[in-house]
Amino acid sequence: MKIISNLKKEIFKLNEELENLRSEVKTLKSIDKNQPSSKCLIQENNEASHSCECRNKFKEENIDLKNALVKFTLGKIT
């Protein structure tokens, strides 16, 4: 029973983290809509390049976390 309780708590925490990441993605998308997508690639400013790299890392991390959550909720922890 203790294991199940701990797993339920972990699922709850992961769901909260997933929701936080979803809100971050929405924020990034709204920022992205305000800027032309080519601007980030063309602009040679280090700050803009760093911003794009971070955004891509967040997107990849979000996908990884979603996959981990799906595996976790299905009981296929690897």
Side-chain angles (χ1 to χ4, degrees):
M1 285 304 253
K2 186 176 180 179
I3 294 172
I4 293 172
S5 175
N6 289 340
L7 289 175
K8 285 182 179 182
K9 288 177 185 176
E10 187 67 24
I11 290 171
F12 181 75
K13 289 178 187 177
L14 289 171
N15 280 328
E16 284 182 336
E17 188 174 350
L18 180 59
E19 287 305 314
N20 290 338
L21 288 171
R22 283 182 177 156
S23 70
E24 277 188 48
V25 168
K26 285 180 184 178
T27 302
L28 289 173
K29 283 182 180 180
S30 68
I31 291 171
D32 211 20
K33 288 179 184 177
N34 295 332
Q35 299 177 0
S37 58
S38 61
K39 180 181 179 183
C40 188
L41 297 173
I42 295 172
Q43 193 173 9
E44 292 183 10
N45 185 348
N46 287 339
E47 201 171 291
S49 297
H50 181 69
S51 174
C52 284
E53 290 172 12
C54 288
R55 184 172 48 234
N56 289 334
K57 286 180 185 178
F58 282 135
K59 285 180 182 180
E60 289 174 16
E61 184 178 350
N62 190 13
I63 290 169
D64 291 343
L65 288 170
K66 283 181 181 180
N67 290 336
L69 183 62
V70 167
K71 288 179 184 178
F72 185 78
T73 57
L74 294 176
K76 298 179 182 175
I77 302 172
T78 56

